[in-house]
Amino acid sequence: MTELTRLTIAEAREKLRGKEITASELTEAYVSAIEQANPTFNAYVATTPEKARDMAKASDAKLAKGEGGALEGIPLGIKDLFATEGVHTQACSHVLDGFKPRYESTVTANLWTDGAVMLGKLNMDEFAMGSSNETSHYGAVINPWRASGSNKQLVPGGSSGGSAAAVSAFLCAGATATDTGGSIRQPAAFTGTVGIKPTYGRVSRWGTVAFASSLDQAGPIARDVRDAAILLKSMASVDAKDTTSVDQPVPDYEAAIGKSVKGMKIGIPREYRVDGMPEDIEKLWQQGIAWLKDAGAEIVDISLPHTKYALPAYYIVAPAEASSNLARYDGVRYGLRVPGKDIIEMYENTRAAGFGREVKRRIMIGTYVLSAGYYDAYYLQAQKVRTLIKRDFELAFAAGVDVILTPATPSAAFGVADEDMAADPVKMYLNDIFTVTVNMAGLPGIAVPAGLDGNGLPLGLQLIGRPFDEETLFQTAHVIEQTAGRFQPEKWW
Amino acid sequence: MSVDLKTVKRVAHLARIAVSEDDAQRMTGELNAILGFVEQLNEVDVAGVEPMTSVMPMEMKKRVDAVTDGNKAADIVANAPATDENFFLVPKVVE
């Protein structure tokens, strides 16, 4: 049965429709894989095997009649940030203890409408704040990848670390994830999987626990580019319940796969060559450039001069929005309550006990930069810089660039409980240096695995596209994937 | 700009997070590291630049002015730590 979990979504879809396998068999294979391996990886924080079996049975009934949606019978993992009716939804925070929503997020509702099967809720950094999945109330997730000849535990990246690890370790066929500063693309790069952050407004944010509302966007993590295209088609929609959802029909992303990149203009931004970047990353980038050139694309050097200011601007905008969004966790309406002598003390005690260190740190920064007298110096300045970052991209695209190629991360996966990162929060933040610009500008970006470093760990490239041009990203990423091949960890668990 | 211990305690109170003396000490260092990092934004010439207020240029959607939802009191209080007949219970706020 284990080989069933090795099928991509496209392969499983074929076999399900051809009645070679049933959704129940496929689901059972994943349920037992999770039972066996989840204690090792800690990728799931809640599993729903009974629900999965029921959903699979319903899918089988549809498939038997030749019916069924685009994802009929495909078992998926759901990041703990998405509200799932009656099922554990805590953004991996202690402050949401016991929260079981009475409603379903738009993204997951879309997936179930298309026939997908829910395996459970995936681990993540608390409130999606982190780049290593170590800030989760439920503990760290372990990356299925290890350096060659080493037993050292590595992080899967974050914040969608559970999603990336589960996809990479064959504990789900695909997963939902979210990306505020790099939380889909960085873990995808760390685990040899494909992750896409769509254009802001492409996927509804309704029912997704909010972190930074002007940056948050959901997307899939998948085994390959085609699977990511299939998943995004189902996740994306036009939703009246999200005022930032854009009124544009969702295209058939899969149709873009297999198209040539001949004549396409690929921009290479010089500002993404940073000090201290490992040689392996530079080599990978050059390799990617050569592949696309060989495939007939035109390579052009471009400049995005405000790149270096994206991360500092992000660390004003994101905490500011977070401090406002997280004000709702007060011990009154849901989750944890810690008593106090009066209502203020009850709020303070609840939030002190309920939030972890990183979340508190960001709420504090956000509260400070929004406090009286500092708004102009910090938040307003950061929003102005954001306009300049966006303009850099607009100028590049106006000059005819179709897609921009960069490394996805400045390093491969690092160790669990890395001392340098623990000592200096800014060091951890630097993980997002190549991905955060894309959130600041609202653009789509995809991370696609492109090779291994000297230690045998996966590395990814990032492609950045025009607003709502996810199709070009899938098309180009697929060309890279065809040349680079796919990357799977050697099974040691 | 940097923060001192007193400011950290004031901000923690604004954010409604109880902090011990040790927490406040530690946070002062961490916050100053982050504030030091974001300081570089002051180098950027933003004269005449409008702050970004929306990612995509679009008019905010407004829903129809009609009752489309409601009668869900039981759902709304279902996850609350303390309730009484569809009311949230909190410590006394008015003497």
Side-chain angles (χ1 to χ4, degrees):
Chain A
M1 287 270 267
T2 44
E3 67 274 16
L4 287 181
T5 63
R6 297 259 161 177
L7 298 173
T8 63
I9 292 174
E11 289 164 353
R13 179 177 67 180
E14 212 49 40
K15 288 185 189 297
L16 285 164
R17 287 180 187 167
K19 302 195 172 65
E20 281 178 63
I21 59 169
T22 66
S24 297
E25 285 166 359
L26 186 61
T27 297
E28 219 47 62
Y30 277 110
V31 168
S32 39
I34 294 166
E35 260 172 36
Q36 184 257 323
N38 201 50
T40 306
F41 298 117
N42 197 27
Y44 284 88
V45 294
T47 54
T48 53
E50 285 318 310
K51 198 177 173 81
R53 287 184 181 111
D54 289 346
M55 291 172 100
K57 209 183 269 174
S59 287
D60 279 329
K62 283 191 181 159
L63 288 161
K65 288 189 276 182
E67 295 168 3
L71 289 170
E72 200 64 57
I74 302 295
L76 302 178
I78 304 298
K79 189 177 182 179
D80 200 32
L81 207 64
F82 295 89
T84 42
E85 193 175 353
V87 176
H88 186 285
T89 300
Q90 287 184 216
C92 285
S93 178
H94 186 40
V95 89
L96 268 168
D97 246 14
F99 182 61
K100 290 196 167 74
R102 293 295 186 104
Y103 54 90
E104 190 77 29
S105 77
T106 298
V107 165
T108 47
N110 289 345
L111 293 171
W112 315 144
T113 301
D114 278 353
V117 169
M118 173 160 75
L119 291 167
K121 300 303 283 288
L122 294 162
N123 206 339
M124 55 181 283
D125 280 301
E126 184 182 5
F127 285 108
M129 297 179 191
S131 304
S132 66
N133 210 117
E134 292 169 288
T135 72
S136 168
H137 177 61
Y138 296 93
V141 174
I142 305 303
N143 193 329
W145 286 83
R146 304 198 286 201
S148 30
S150 165
N151 289 338
K152 189 180 166 191
Q153 293 187 327
L154 302 178
V155 302
S159 70
S160 310
S163 305
V167 171
S168 169
F170 307 99
L171 303 184
C172 58
T176 65
T178 61
D179 190 314
T180 303
S183 284
I184 289 176
R185 292 158 289 157
Q186 185 251 18
F190 277 14
T191 56
T193 55
V194 176
I196 180 165
K197 182 205 89 75
T199 312
Y200 185 82
R202 177 68 289 175
V203 175
S204 171
R205 294 181 296 107
W206 194 83
T208 310
V209 177
F211 161 14
S213 302
S214 76
L215 302 161
D216 296 344
Q217 192 60 197
I221 291 182
R223 305 249 181 87
D224 66 11
V225 175
R226 182 180 294 275
D227 280 7
I230 295 170
L231 286 171
L232 182 58
K233 169 94 171 95
S234 286
M235 290 172 71
S237 59
V238 178
D239 186 8
K241 288 191 258 184
D242 176 359
T243 52
T244 59
S245 157
V246 173
D247 283 324
Q248 270 196 41
V250 181
D252 178 11
Y253 296 119
E254 218 184 333
I257 288 170
K259 286 191 186 161
S260 156
V261 294
K262 210 173 191 133
M264 203 183 265
K265 229 181 209 185
I266 314 282
I268 310 298
R270 69 174 68 102
E271 290 80 6
Y272 282 61
R273 195 160 283 115
V274 296
D275 290 345
M277 188 161 87
E279 208 178 301
D280 283 330
I281 304 270
E282 174 67 33
K283 246 170 61 190
L284 182 89
W285 197 12
Q286 293 308 322
Q287 180 72 79
I289 292 170
W291 287 336
L292 292 174
K293 207 172 179 177
D294 288 348
E298 185 193 340
I299 307 297
V300 288
D301 286 320
I302 61 167
S303 175
L304 301 169
H306 296 91
T307 298
K308 71 175 271 213
Y309 300 111
L311 199 61
Y314 174 86
Y315 274 97
I316 291 173
V317 175
E321 295 182 10
S323 72
S324 164
N325 275 325
L326 272 61
R328 74 190 68 180
Y329 305 105
D330 55 7
V332 174
R333 287 156 295 168
Y334 24 64
L336 187 74
R337 171 182 289 193
V338 179
K341 67 174 180 342
D342 55 24
I343 193 163
I344 301 279
E345 205 184 275
M346 186 272 282
Y347 295 150
E348 292 185 338
N349 291 346
T350 299
R351 291 163 65 81
F355 293 134
R357 267 194 189 191
E358 182 61 32
V359 173
K360 283 183 199 168
R361 188 145 61 212
R362 297 204 199 185
I363 292 174
M364 293 283 290
I365 286 285
T367 307
Y368 177 70
V369 300
L370 291 178
S371 63
Y374 294 108
Y375 178 84
D376 285 5
Y378 288 110
Y379 193 74
L380 201 65
Q381 177 79 5
Q383 289 292 63
K384 286 179 179 173
V385 171
R386 203 173 165 189
T387 300
L388 295 172
I389 293 164
K390 189 162 178 262
R391 192 176 293 165
D392 286 352
F393 283 107
E394 284 165 354
L395 290 173
F397 290 128
V401 167
D402 295 294
V403 60
I404 295 166
L405 177 74
T406 78
T409 57
S411 76
F414 47 87
V416 171
D418 185 285
E419 279 176 19
D420 284 355
M421 304 232 189
D424 179 1
V426 174
K427 226 169 221 146
M428 184 66 91
Y429 298 169
L430 289 171
N431 267 288
D432 290 336
I433 192 157
F434 299 140
T435 49
V436 76
T437 50
V438 176
N439 302 76
M440 294 304 270
L443 300 172
I446 192 169
V448 58
L452 302 177
D453 73 356
N455 297 317
L457 295 174
L459 297 172
L461 288 171
Q462 172 179 239
L463 294 161
I464 305 167
R466 294 193 168 103
F468 296 97
D469 192 12
E470 283 80 6
E471 286 158 292
T472 301
L473 296 187
F474 286 122
Q475 178 184 351
T476 316
H478 187 249
V479 169
I480 291 175
E481 181 179 70
Q482 289 297 100
T483 324
R486 280 176 52 198
F487 299 89
Q488 298 182 343
E490 211 167 292
K491 193 166 189 274
W492 49 265
W493 57 92
Chain B
M1 268 179 272
S2 66
V3 291
D4 56 15
L5 191 65
K6 201 176 134 219
T7 309
V8 167
K9 287 181 181 168
R10 184 177 61 86
V11 172
H13 182 63
L14 287 173
R16 298 290 185 261
I17 297 173
V19 289
S20 68
E21 198 63 32
D22 282 357
D23 291 338
Q25 288 282 2
R26 199 194 64 242
M27 280 178 177
T28 305
E30 290 172 352
L31 263 51
N32 280 328
I34 297 166
L35 292 172
F37 174 65
V38 303
E39 196 113 300
Q40 52 183 304
L41 289 180
N42 296 329
E43 302 164 11
V44 185
D45 180 9
V46 293
V49 177
E50 286 293 312
M52 187 163 154
T53 48
S54 88
V55 173
M56 289 300 137
M58 61 184 265
E59 214 171 298
M60 192 163 95
K61 287 196 270 189
K62 296 161 198 81
R63 66 172 180 83
V64 286
D65 188 14
V67 179
T68 56
D69 207 351
N71 292 321
K72 286 183 178 163
D75 283 343
I76 289 165
V77 298
N79 276 287
T83 58
D84 186 14
E85 302 206 357
N86 290 345
F87 287 96
F88 296 111
L89 289 186
V90 295
K92 199 163 160 186
V93 282
V94 183
E95 288 306 322

